[in-house]
Amino acid sequence: MNNAVHNESKDEIDYALDFTTSSAISRVNVKFLAVYIPIIWLSGILIGVFWYEWNKNKPPISEDWEPWVGTLIFLPYAIISMFFIFIISCMFLSKLFLILINLIHKPREGVFRAEIGDADFEFWCLRTELKKLVMWLMRNFPIPWLDSLAFKWFGVKMDSSSHLPDAWCDIEFVKLGRRVLVGQGAVVMSSMVIGNYLIIKEVILDDYTVIGGMACVSPGTITGRDVLLGAISATVLNQLLEAGWIYFGIPAIKLKPNQLAYVSQITKSSVDDEQKVIEEEVINIEEEKKEKLKDKW
Amino acid sequence: MSVPTSMRVGPFTPTVLVKKRYLLFYIFLIWISIIPILLEFWFYWQWLYDPVRPVHFYIFLPLLFFLMYLTMVFTALLFAKILLGIVNAFHKPKEGVFLRDLSDKDYRYWSLRNTIKRWPVWLSHKFPFPFLDNVCFKAFGVKTTFTNSLFEGWVDCEFIEFGKNVVVGQGSIIQSAVIVGNLLIIRKTIIEDDVRIGAHAVVMPGTHIGKRSVLAANSVTIVGQELEEGYIYVGIPSKKYKKNRFFEDGLEKVLGHVKDVEGLRQKYEEMYIKRHDDHLSIKERIEHRKEIKEEEKRFMEQQEP
């Protein structure tokens, strides 16, 4: 009970954002159906055309069983191609819509009101909803590189050496370096809703960053090289994580220097080099031995 | 917003305890919800299929698939609702603490209810647009409006009341039933208007969150906790942190970020180090201990018979 009194007297005018919330706004809005239905319809028609062409030259069903076997063998191929055609056409169409929307209103960083009536907020909702369909389709397909393709396609700056598929990640204002690993269930937010306000700020994760499972990365977080953010920790708004440190806790503070940082940078070529060095050394030792032996003799 | 794959697109009705005998309900629901879509497709085929010029057939086919999915969800919902009605007529769902054992009637019916709800909720979650979710929650007796975003978290399907404009964060869990040891606790969770629940927060059964409160990311409430109106709550278990002033107007330029994160961490930790009996005098402490002992005695007496 004392805590409450203590805190109340303390924060008379405290507007500091020293806590983390979420950005999950998938408000139900009938407006979004106006975007979805054309995308689904047009991509569906493409599939219809494919299916029609696939079946056009097939002989009609008869007692002759040989053409049936051929059809059955290649049916999975047809289904997978149909799925890919659907995804790719959805990708192109939603990108087209996205470009059009971005022409009307350019996405920008800043603090906006999270109310219907604010242009930035409404366009942000529209953008996230638009991207959702394709992301959903790709994420339900068991090929991880499709995910990173979709992230790249919608404007996340990342390399395919980074791993995002097991996390919630915003699809704009996120920059990833090389070989970044984001853990299971982690949340990488470039937008956050606090009270009546929507905050959009770019998140930058530098090379070899590892984000632990269930961690929350707030908007504006910038991590240096080799940063490790522990599991179930959270960063606050605009937090800078210094290069080469392990951060942990809510909010994340320095725990200890990341002494295993060099491990993440070892590549196959460097391992090969090391082996070569060892071999050379062995040879040298033997030569030294020989020399010593010679001296003895 | 993208949902992780390993989470299997997030939330279903949680803690379903699969019993073999409940399999019948699943099979019945799946079977009955597929029949109308087959009928739909058959009608469509009869109406538009022309082997020579199947242009119309293929043009409207995607829309038909869209409709078929919706029909499947709504039939599943309808029949699940009917089944639930019958099940609830046999045994009315009620709050309380029950034994987690098959001999306990409430426990059995609770898992039966969740089993029935699972198929429609799973179907509607597999749909990329959020509105089916809210329809599902509404049909199963969760008080919500369409302004809430519940799509990214796990939300239980009974004994929950939501106000308007509630935002449930990514991966957060809102429960009305929890299993602790060998007990099943069912209590009503109430979340009022304009509440923001952070990412990975856990709301335990019986929590009452007042209007315009914030439960910050990664924090957990305890069973039956009352969160006051207009405050920000932080931590495990969640504690009152400061007043929520972020609903005021004209804060666009005032909102600032924290520079001294380590100081902030200390501030967080102070909240936990401080004990509620810090400022008690010696007499009060002795009384407090007596009270605790008496409570223990009473508890033991209750246990004995």
Side-chain angles (χ1 to χ4, degrees):
Chain A
M1 300 309 281
N2 289 324
N3 274 330
V5 178
H6 170 76
N7 281 337
E8 258 175 38
S9 58
K10 213 175 176 185
D11 58 46
E12 277 301 301
I13 323 158
D14 192 357
Y15 291 123
L17 294 171
D18 44 6
F19 57 97
T20 318
T21 62
S22 69
S23 78
I25 288 200
S26 39
R27 292 266 166 84
V28 183
N29 210 330
V30 188
K31 272 187 271 178
F32 298 141
L33 273 182
V35 194
Y36 279 140
I37 284 178
I39 290 175
I40 289 177
W41 196 358
L42 287 172
S43 336
I45 285 172
L46 273 183
I47 287 187
V49 170
F50 178 86
W51 187 241
Y52 176 70
E53 290 291 325
W54 182 264
N55 283 320
K56 205 166 70 175
N57 298 323
K58 292 276 183 306
I61 300 162
S62 64
E63 286 174 11
D64 191 11
W65 57 276
E66 278 171 16
W68 264 96
V69 173
T71 318
L72 275 181
I73 285 173
F74 288 103
L75 190 64
Y77 166 72
I79 290 169
I80 290 171
S81 346
M82 272 165 23
F83 195 81
F84 266 99
I85 290 169
F86 189 70
I87 284 182
I88 288 165
S89 70
C90 273
M91 258 171 79
F92 274 95
L93 284 170
S94 39
K95 183 75 180 179
L96 187 77
F97 272 107
L98 201 68
I99 289 168
L100 286 177
I101 287 165
N102 288 353
L103 276 180
I104 297 168
H105 186 93
K106 216 186 162 203
R108 61 193 173 112
E109 300 173 37
V111 181
F112 313 106
R113 283 192 79 91
E115 285 172 347
I116 288 166
D118 188 281
D120 280 287
F121 174 70
E122 285 202 33
F123 275 97
W124 174 75
C125 279
L126 187 58
R127 286 201 300 274
T128 42
E129 286 299 315
L130 189 61
K131 288 164 185 170
K132 193 172 197 156
L133 176 64
V134 177
M135 288 311 293
W136 179 82
L137 277 171
M138 293 204 163
R139 301 208 128 194
N140 275 292
F141 201 67
I143 298 177
W145 49 256
L146 260 182
D147 285 24
S148 48
L149 188 75
F151 277 118
K152 271 193 245 174
W153 181 255
F154 285 129
V156 172
K157 279 185 184 163
M158 67 179 279
D159 202 49
S160 48
S161 59
S162 300
H163 183 84
L164 264 180
D166 293 331
W168 274 270
C169 183
D170 274 346
I171 322 177
E172 49 185 22
F173 297 117
V174 175
K175 271 187 192 169
L176 299 183
R178 282 192 68 239
R179 299 181 74 184
V180 174
L181 201 140
V182 182
Q184 292 97 325
V187 179
V188 180
M189 302 185 278
S190 64
S191 56
M192 187 153 80
V193 176
I194 286 170
N196 253 347
Y197 295 90
L198 168 73
I199 295 160
I200 301 179
K201 202 89 200 285
E202 193 172 51
V203 174
I204 300 170
L205 306 178
D206 206 347
D207 303 355
Y208 309 114
T209 301
V210 177
I211 307 250
M214 294 289 188
C216 292
V217 177
S218 296
T221 303
I222 297 171
T223 69
R225 250 173 106 98
D226 293 315
V227 161
L228 199 150
L229 182 65
I232 328 183
S233 35
T235 63
V236 290
L237 191 75
N238 292 354
Q239 196 176 343
L240 270 170
L241 307 186
E242 270 178 48
W245 281 83
I246 294 175
Y247 279 79
F248 190 77
I250 312 168
I253 56 165
K254 277 178 190 172
L255 186 69
K256 57 184 179 185
N258 191 358
Q259 289 173 341
L260 292 172
Y262 70 94
V263 176
S264 64
Q265 290 164 23
I266 292 173
T267 55
K268 197 173 174 292
S269 60
S270 58
V271 170
D272 290 346
D273 285 344
E274 230 163 272
Q275 275 176 348
K276 274 176 205 164
V277 169
I278 290 163
E279 279 168 7
E280 278 167 15
E281 276 175 1
V282 169
I283 291 162
N284 289 339
I285 289 165
E286 277 185 357
E287 277 174 1
E288 278 173 17
K289 274 184 185 172
K290 279 176 192 172
E291 279 172 12
K292 279 179 183 175
L293 286 170
K294 272 179 192 172
D295 292 344
K296 274 196 176 179
W297 279 103
Chain B
M1 188 62 52
S2 57
V3 183
T5 33
S6 51
M7 300 255 168
R8 294 285 93 206
V9 198
F12 314 121
T13 51
T15 50
V16 169
L17 304 143
V18 185
K19 300 278 177 305
K20 275 178 209 158
R21 54 182 153 173
Y22 298 152
L23 196 68
L24 269 180
F25 288 94
Y26 273 117
I27 291 170
F28 170 72
L29 279 174
I30 292 169
W31 183 22
I32 207 93
S33 57
I34 286 172
I35 287 169
I37 67 169
L38 291 179
L39 275 175
E40 222 169 57
F41 192 75
W42 186 74
F43 272 117
Y44 184 72
W45 181 278
Q46 290 289 319
W47 180 39
L48 273 181
Y49 192 67
D50 178 5
V52 187
R53 280 182 66 247
V55 184
H56 293 98
F57 179 78
Y58 281 118
I59 281 182
F60 294 106
L61 197 59
L63 284 185
L64 178 79
F65 274 113
F66 193 78
L67 243 170
M68 272 160 69
Y69 198 94
L70 288 185
T71 328
M72 185 148 90
V73 173
F74 278 103
T75 18
L77 260 179
L78 177 70
F79 282 95
K81 187 84 185 160
I82 290 169
L83 272 183
L84 269 182
I86 295 167
V87 168
N88 289 350
F90 277 109
H91 183 85
K92 216 186 164 200
K94 59 176 180 182
E95 302 169 44
V97 182
F98 310 107
L99 202 63
R100 184 200 177 191
D101 191 79
L102 278 180
S103 58
D104 194 289
K105 206 175 176 188
D106 280 282
Y107 173 71
R108 257 184 295 149
Y109 275 87
W110 172 74
S111 37
L112 178 59
R113 285 200 300 275
N114 275 348
T115 315
I116 291 167
K117 282 167 187 170
R118 193 168 170 87
W119 167 247
V121 172
W122 183 86
L123 267 183
S124 58
H125 271 300
K126 281 287 169 194
F127 200 57
F129 321 136
F131 57 82
L132 270 185
D133 257 47
N134 286 33
V135 170
C136 233
F137 282 126
K138 271 194 168 185
F140 287 140
V142 175
K143 260 196 183 174
T144 60
T145 59
F146 280 100
T147 50
N148 298 344
S149 71
L150 316 171
F151 193 70
E152 309 269 351
W154 280 259
V155 180
D156 261 354
C157 278
E158 50 182 20
F159 292 119
I160 294 184
E161 268 183 32
F162 284 104
K164 281 182 274 178
N165 290 323
V166 176
V167 176
V168 174
Q170 296 99 318
S172 58
I173 303 166
I174 296 173
Q175 298 169 311
S176 65
V178 73
I179 285 170
V180 180
N182 213 17
L183 295 176
L184 167 72
I185 300 168
I186 302 179
R187 280 179 78 173
K188 191 165 195 172
T189 307
I190 300 169
I191 293 165
E192 287 179 20
D193 301 354
D194 295 317
V195 171
R196 311 269 186 254
I197 291 166
H200 301 314
V202 180
V203 176
M204 293 290 266
T207 309
H208 179 254
I209 304 182
K211 275 179 197 176
R212 297 192 163 186
S213 279
V214 172
L215 187 61
N218 287 349
S219 45
V220 176
T221 68
I222 55 173
V223 175
Q225 196 175 355
E226 291 264 338
L227 306 195
E228 267 179 52
E229 200 176 306
Y231 275 93
I232 290 159
Y233 282 80
V234 162
I236 307 167
S238 66
K239 284 197 176 185
K240 196 189 258 182
Y241 180 56
K242 65 179 187 184
K243 210 162 189 179
N244 187 5
R245 295 172 185 276
F246 301 101
F247 279 95
E248 292 169 9
D249 290 339
L251 290 186
E252 276 92 342
K253 282 173 188 170
V254 189
L255 287 177
H257 61 93
V258 187
K259 279 165 193 164
D260 179 23
V261 181
E262 294 193 5
L264 176 64
R265 177 68 174 274
Q266 275 186 354
K267 207 170 149 192
Y268 271 49
E269 271 165 12
E270 267 173 25
M271 284 183 358
Y272 285 92
I273 292 163
K274 232 180 188 183
R275 284 164 51 178
H276 79 281
D277 54 355
D278 258 0
H279 298 292
L280 295 181
S281 63
I282 300 167
K283 269 188 183 176
E284 282 170 330
R285 272 182 207 179
I286 292 165
E287 279 176 14
H288 189 65
R289 271 175 210 161
K290 270 184 187 172
E291 277 174 19
I292 290 171
K293 275 187 181 174
E294 274 175 19
E295 268 182 29
E296 278 176 2
K297 262 187 187 176
R298 247 179 272 147
F299 185 74
M300 293 305 286
E301 280 167 8
Q302 278 178 2
Q303 293 276 313
E304 275 172 11

Short mmCIF file of all heavy atoms in Angstrom, two decimals, chain A residues 172-204:
data_model
loop_
_atom_site.label_atom_id
_atom_site.label_comp_id
_atom_site.label_asym_id
_atom_site.label_seq_id
_atom_site.Cartn_x
_atom_site.Cartn_y
_atom_site.Cartn_z
N GLU A 172 7.55 -2.72 -41.56
CA GLU A 172 8.08 -1.48 -42.11
C GLU A 172 8.96 -0.85 -41.04
O GLU A 172 8.80 -1.14 -39.86
CB GLU A 172 6.96 -0.53 -42.51
CG GLU A 172 5.93 -0.37 -41.42
CD GLU A 172 4.77 0.47 -41.84
OE1 GLU A 172 4.52 0.59 -43.04
OE2 GLU A 172 4.13 1.03 -40.95
N PHE A 173 9.87 0.00 -41.47
CA PHE A 173 10.80 0.67 -40.56
C PHE A 173 11.60 -0.31 -39.72
O PHE A 173 11.82 -0.11 -38.52
CB PHE A 173 10.07 1.66 -39.65
CG PHE A 173 9.43 2.78 -40.40
CD1 PHE A 173 8.06 2.96 -40.40
CD2 PHE A 173 10.21 3.65 -41.14
CE1 PHE A 173 7.48 3.99 -41.10
CE2 PHE A 173 9.62 4.69 -41.85
CZ PHE A 173 8.26 4.85 -41.82
N VAL A 174 11.99 -1.42 -40.31
CA VAL A 174 12.87 -2.36 -39.62
C VAL A 174 14.08 -2.59 -40.51
O VAL A 174 13.94 -2.81 -41.71
CB VAL A 174 12.17 -3.70 -39.34
CG1 VAL A 174 13.13 -4.69 -38.74
CG2 VAL A 174 11.00 -3.50 -38.41
N LYS A 175 15.27 -2.50 -39.91
CA LYS A 175 16.49 -2.76 -40.67
C LYS A 175 17.27 -3.84 -39.95
O LYS A 175 17.50 -3.75 -38.74
CB LYS A 175 17.35 -1.51 -40.75
CG LYS A 175 17.05 -0.63 -41.94
CD LYS A 175 18.07 0.48 -42.00
CE LYS A 175 17.62 1.54 -42.98
NZ LYS A 175 18.46 2.74 -42.85
N LEU A 176 17.69 -4.87 -40.68
CA LEU A 176 18.47 -5.93 -40.08
C LEU A 176 19.81 -6.02 -40.77
O LEU A 176 19.91 -5.81 -41.98
CB LEU A 176 17.75 -7.28 -40.24
CG LEU A 176 16.38 -7.44 -39.60
CD1 LEU A 176 15.90 -8.84 -39.81
CD2 LEU A 176 16.42 -7.12 -38.14
N GLY A 177 20.84 -6.34 -39.97
CA GLY A 177 22.15 -6.53 -40.56
C GLY A 177 22.34 -7.96 -41.02
O GLY A 177 21.37 -8.67 -41.30
N ARG A 178 23.58 -8.42 -41.05
CA ARG A 178 23.86 -9.79 -41.46
C ARG A 178 23.70 -10.75 -40.29
O ARG A 178 24.04 -10.43 -39.17
CB ARG A 178 25.30 -9.89 -41.98
CG ARG A 178 25.48 -9.36 -43.38
CD ARG A 178 26.83 -9.75 -43.93
NE ARG A 178 26.91 -11.18 -44.16
CZ ARG A 178 27.81 -11.97 -43.59
NH1 ARG A 178 28.66 -11.48 -42.74
NH2 ARG A 178 27.83 -13.25 -43.87
N ARG A 179 23.22 -11.92 -40.56
CA ARG A 179 23.12 -13.04 -39.61
C ARG A 179 22.51 -12.63 -38.27
O ARG A 179 23.03 -12.96 -37.21
CB ARG A 179 24.50 -13.66 -39.41
CG ARG A 179 25.04 -14.21 -40.71
CD ARG A 179 26.37 -14.83 -40.55
NE ARG A 179 26.29 -16.11 -39.88
CZ ARG A 179 27.36 -16.83 -39.56
NH1 ARG A 179 28.56 -16.38 -39.84
NH2 ARG A 179 27.24 -17.98 -38.98
N VAL A 180 21.43 -11.89 -38.36
CA VAL A 180 20.68 -11.55 -37.15
C VAL A 180 19.75 -12.71 -36.83
O VAL A 180 19.19 -13.31 -37.73
CB VAL A 180 19.86 -10.27 -37.36
CG1 VAL A 180 18.97 -9.99 -36.18
CG2 VAL A 180 20.76 -9.10 -37.62
N LEU A 181 19.62 -13.03 -35.56
CA LEU A 181 18.74 -14.13 -35.17
C LEU A 181 17.70 -13.62 -34.18
O LEU A 181 18.06 -13.12 -33.13
CB LEU A 181 19.57 -15.25 -34.54
CG LEU A 181 18.92 -16.62 -34.56
CD1 LEU A 181 19.98 -17.64 -34.86
CD2 LEU A 181 18.26 -16.93 -33.25
N VAL A 182 16.45 -13.70 -34.55
CA VAL A 182 15.38 -13.27 -33.67
C VAL A 182 14.65 -14.51 -33.17
O VAL A 182 14.20 -15.33 -33.96
CB VAL A 182 14.41 -12.33 -34.39
CG1 VAL A 182 13.34 -11.85 -33.44
CG2 VAL A 182 15.15 -11.14 -34.96
N GLY A 183 14.57 -14.64 -31.87
CA GLY A 183 14.11 -15.89 -31.25
C GLY A 183 12.63 -16.14 -31.37
O GLY A 183 11.87 -15.32 -31.88
N GLN A 184 12.21 -17.28 -30.83
CA GLN A 184 10.82 -17.70 -30.94
C GLN A 184 9.91 -16.79 -30.13
O GLN A 184 10.16 -16.55 -28.95
CB GLN A 184 10.64 -19.13 -30.44
CG GLN A 184 11.30 -20.16 -31.30
CD GLN A 184 12.65 -20.53 -30.76
OE1 GLN A 184 13.35 -19.69 -30.23
NE2 GLN A 184 13.02 -21.79 -30.93
N GLY A 185 8.87 -16.31 -30.78
CA GLY A 185 7.87 -15.52 -30.06
C GLY A 185 8.33 -14.14 -29.67
O GLY A 185 7.63 -13.44 -28.97
N ALA A 186 9.52 -13.74 -30.12
CA ALA A 186 9.98 -12.37 -29.82
C ALA A 186 9.13 -11.38 -30.60
O ALA A 186 8.53 -11.71 -31.61
CB ALA A 186 11.43 -12.23 -30.17
N VAL A 187 9.08 -10.16 -30.08
CA VAL A 187 8.29 -9.13 -30.73
C VAL A 187 9.21 -8.01 -31.15
O VAL A 187 9.87 -7.40 -30.30
CB VAL A 187 7.21 -8.59 -29.77
CG1 VAL A 187 6.43 -7.50 -30.44
CG2 VAL A 187 6.30 -9.68 -29.32
N VAL A 188 9.31 -7.76 -32.42
CA VAL A 188 10.09 -6.63 -32.92
C VAL A 188 9.10 -5.61 -33.42
O VAL A 188 8.43 -5.82 -34.42
CB VAL A 188 11.05 -7.07 -34.05
CG1 VAL A 188 11.84 -5.89 -34.55
CG2 VAL A 188 11.97 -8.16 -33.56
N MET A 189 8.99 -4.49 -32.68
CA MET A 189 7.97 -3.51 -33.02
C MET A 189 8.62 -2.24 -33.56
O MET A 189 9.57 -1.75 -32.97
CB MET A 189 7.17 -3.13 -31.78
CG MET A 189 6.50 -4.28 -31.12
SD MET A 189 5.46 -3.74 -29.77
CE MET A 189 6.64 -3.55 -28.46
N SER A 190 8.10 -1.73 -34.65
CA SER A 190 8.51 -0.40 -35.07
C SER A 190 7.38 0.57 -34.79
O SER A 190 7.45 1.74 -35.14
CB SER A 190 8.89 -0.38 -36.54
OG SER A 190 7.78 -0.68 -37.32
N SER A 191 6.32 0.07 -34.20
CA SER A 191 5.19 0.94 -33.86
C SER A 191 4.65 0.49 -32.52
O SER A 191 4.66 -0.69 -32.19
CB SER A 191 4.11 0.82 -34.92
OG SER A 191 3.74 -0.53 -35.06
N MET A 192 4.22 1.45 -31.72
CA MET A 192 3.73 1.10 -30.39
C MET A 192 2.54 1.99 -30.06
O MET A 192 2.52 3.16 -30.40
CB MET A 192 4.85 1.30 -29.36
CG MET A 192 4.52 0.81 -28.00
SD MET A 192 5.98 0.34 -27.07
CE MET A 192 6.58 1.92 -26.52
N VAL A 193 1.57 1.40 -29.40
CA VAL A 193 0.38 2.17 -29.02
C VAL A 193 0.44 2.44 -27.53
O VAL A 193 0.50 1.52 -26.72
CB VAL A 193 -0.90 1.40 -29.37
CG1 VAL A 193 -2.10 2.15 -28.90
CG2 VAL A 193 -0.98 1.17 -30.85
N ILE A 194 0.45 3.73 -27.16
CA ILE A 194 0.45 4.10 -25.76
C ILE A 194 -0.66 5.11 -25.55
O ILE A 194 -0.65 6.17 -26.15
CB ILE A 194 1.81 4.68 -25.34
CG1 ILE A 194 2.83 3.56 -25.23
CG2 ILE A 194 1.69 5.40 -24.02
CD1 ILE A 194 4.21 4.01 -25.06
N GLY A 195 -1.62 4.76 -24.74
CA GLY A 195 -2.74 5.65 -24.51
C GLY A 195 -3.42 5.98 -25.81
O GLY A 195 -3.82 5.09 -26.55
N ASN A 196 -3.48 7.26 -26.11
CA ASN A 196 -4.12 7.68 -27.35
C ASN A 196 -3.12 7.91 -28.46
O ASN A 196 -3.45 8.49 -29.47
CB ASN A 196 -4.90 8.97 -27.11
CG ASN A 196 -6.38 8.72 -27.11
OD1 ASN A 196 -6.81 7.65 -27.53
ND2 ASN A 196 -7.14 9.68 -26.66
N TYR A 197 -1.88 7.48 -28.25
CA TYR A 197 -0.85 7.84 -29.22
C TYR A 197 -0.24 6.63 -29.89
O TYR A 197 -0.09 5.57 -29.27
CB TYR A 197 0.24 8.67 -28.55
CG TYR A 197 -0.29 9.99 -28.09
CD1 TYR A 197 -0.82 10.14 -26.82
CD2 TYR A 197 -0.32 11.08 -28.95
CE1 TYR A 197 -1.36 11.33 -26.41
CE2 TYR A 197 -0.86 12.28 -28.55
CZ TYR A 197 -1.37 12.40 -27.28
OH TYR A 197 -1.91 13.59 -26.90
N LEU A 198 0.11 6.81 -31.14
CA LEU A 198 0.81 5.78 -31.89
C LEU A 198 2.21 6.30 -32.18
O LEU A 198 2.37 7.39 -32.69
CB LEU A 198 0.08 5.51 -33.22
CG LEU A 198 0.83 4.68 -34.24
CD1 LEU A 198 0.88 3.24 -33.80
CD2 LEU A 198 0.16 4.78 -35.59
N ILE A 199 3.20 5.53 -31.77
CA ILE A 199 4.58 5.95 -31.98
C ILE A 199 5.20 5.06 -33.04
O ILE A 199 5.18 3.83 -32.92
CB ILE A 199 5.38 5.83 -30.67
CG1 ILE A 199 4.82 6.82 -29.65
CG2 ILE A 199 6.85 6.10 -30.91
CD1 ILE A 199 5.15 6.49 -28.25
N ILE A 200 5.73 5.66 -34.08
CA ILE A 200 6.40 4.89 -35.13
C ILE A 200 7.85 5.32 -35.18
O ILE A 200 8.15 6.51 -35.31
CB ILE A 200 5.73 5.10 -36.51
CG1 ILE A 200 4.27 4.69 -36.46
CG2 ILE A 200 6.45 4.31 -37.57
CD1 ILE A 200 3.53 4.89 -37.75
N LYS A 201 8.76 4.39 -35.02
CA LYS A 201 10.18 4.71 -35.00
C LYS A 201 10.93 3.51 -35.57
O LYS A 201 10.55 2.38 -35.34
CB LYS A 201 10.64 4.99 -33.56
CG LYS A 201 11.88 5.83 -33.46
CD LYS A 201 11.54 7.30 -33.43
CE LYS A 201 12.74 8.15 -33.80
NZ LYS A 201 13.74 8.24 -32.74
N GLU A 202 12.00 3.81 -36.24
CA GLU A 202 12.72 2.73 -36.92
C GLU A 202 13.53 1.87 -35.94
O GLU A 202 14.13 2.39 -35.00
CB GLU A 202 13.67 3.32 -37.95
CG GLU A 202 14.22 2.27 -38.90
CD GLU A 202 15.00 2.91 -40.03
OE1 GLU A 202 15.89 3.73 -39.75
OE2 GLU A 202 14.72 2.58 -41.18
N VAL A 203 13.53 0.56 -36.18
CA VAL A 203 14.32 -0.37 -35.37
C VAL A 203 15.50 -0.83 -36.22
O VAL A 203 15.32 -1.21 -37.38
CB VAL A 203 13.48 -1.59 -34.96
CG1 VAL A 203 14.34 -2.62 -34.25
CG2 VAL A 203 12.35 -1.18 -34.08
N ILE A 204 16.70 -0.76 -35.66
CA ILE A 204 17.88 -1.22 -36.40
C ILE A 204 18.58 -2.29 -35.58
O ILE A 204 18.98 -2.05 -34.44
CB ILE A 204 18.84 -0.05 -36.69
CG1 ILE A 204 18.12 1.02 -37.52
CG2 ILE A 204 20.06 -0.54 -37.43
CD1 ILE A 204 18.88 2.29 -37.65
#
